[in-house]
Amino acid sequence: MMADTIEQDLFDSSLVFIEDGTNQDTIFKQVSDKLVALGAVKPDFYQHLSEREKAYPTGIDMSVVNPDYPNVAIPHTEGEFVNVRKVVPIRLKQPVEFANMIDPNQKFNVSFLFMILNNDPEGQANVLAQIMDFLTTSSEETLNRLFHAEDTATIHDILAKIGRASCR
């Protein structure tokens, strides 16, 4: 793996979603149910994901990177509720309110999630850092294509190419 990229093997084409829920809880429930069915997480994942998001919000204000970008969130929970080490990209058809990671009293709409599934507790911060690096160093064209993708295959293709693109 190269520095400054998200590891390609963190993405699985079956773990990319486009969701139409109208609130955080609905999105978390829809995605958690799919992840349980795919064997990626344990049955109590949803409960712990929701509780952790309330206690430690993960919304990221992307206006500091580019005012045209939608805000993102990076929800996750402890590794004991997860079976794999993956990043699950989730594009929201409509923005959903999240609290700011830096200032939990501030709330804003989020349109894209990078849900971290990490059964390696030591690696959680590393994956988070890789995502943050990707969001702050990728080209505007790449991020706009990602944030506005209409299908899961496009989202997966963009993210799977990250590692290769950084070889230039």
Side-chain angles (χ1 to χ4, degrees):
M1 179 194 101
M2 284 178 220
D4 304 319
T5 63
I6 304 176
E7 296 169 58
Q8 287 181 41
D9 66 354
L10 286 176
F11 299 102
D12 181 321
S13 59
S14 68
L15 301 177
V16 178
F17 304 106
I18 296 177
E19 295 295 327
D20 61 0
T22 56
N23 61 56
Q24 190 183 101
D25 194 59
T26 302
I27 299 291
F28 283 0
K29 183 74 174 122
Q30 289 171 338
V31 173
S32 295
D33 288 350
K34 292 174 186 176
L35 294 173
V36 168
L38 291 166
V41 300
K42 295 179 171 68
D44 51 359
F45 174 79
Y46 162 72
Q47 176 190 343
H48 292 277
L49 178 72
S50 296
E51 288 172 5
R52 190 179 196 296
E53 187 67 33
K54 286 180 184 87
Y56 306 102
T58 64
I60 297 171
D61 179 0
M62 289 294 290
S63 68
V64 296
V65 179
N66 183 326
D68 296 329
Y69 290 161
N71 296 317
V72 302
I74 307 179
H76 52 278
T77 193
E78 289 72 21
E80 66 198 86
F81 309 111
V82 176
N83 297 324
V84 297
R85 186 169 186 265
K86 296 289 176 190
V87 173
V88 179
I90 307 161
R91 189 173 81 71
L92 305 180
K93 288 187 178 179
Q94 49 200 328
V96 171
E97 187 176 83
F98 273 73
N100 190 335
M101 179 186 280
I102 296 166
D103 176 7
N105 293 320
Q106 180 191 15
K107 295 191 175 6
F108 47 66
N109 284 332
V110 162
S111 298
F112 205 97
L113 308 181
F114 292 91
M115 185 178 286
I116 299 174
L117 304 182
N118 197 347
N119 56 359
D120 168 20
E122 301 301 310
Q124 193 101 304
N126 183 36
V127 175
L128 184 61
Q130 290 177 44
I131 293 169
M132 293 303 298
D133 188 63
F134 164 70
L135 291 170
T136 56
T137 62
S138 292
S139 72
E140 186 173 350
E141 177 192 3
T142 297
L143 288 178
N144 278 325
R145 280 181 38 236
L146 177 68
F147 293 145
H148 298 101
E150 293 294 325
D151 61 89
T152 59
T154 300
I155 294 169
H156 181 261
D157 290 348
I158 292 166
L159 293 170
K161 288 177 184 161
I162 293 165
R164 293 192 295 274
S166 66
C167 296
R168 285 186 264 154

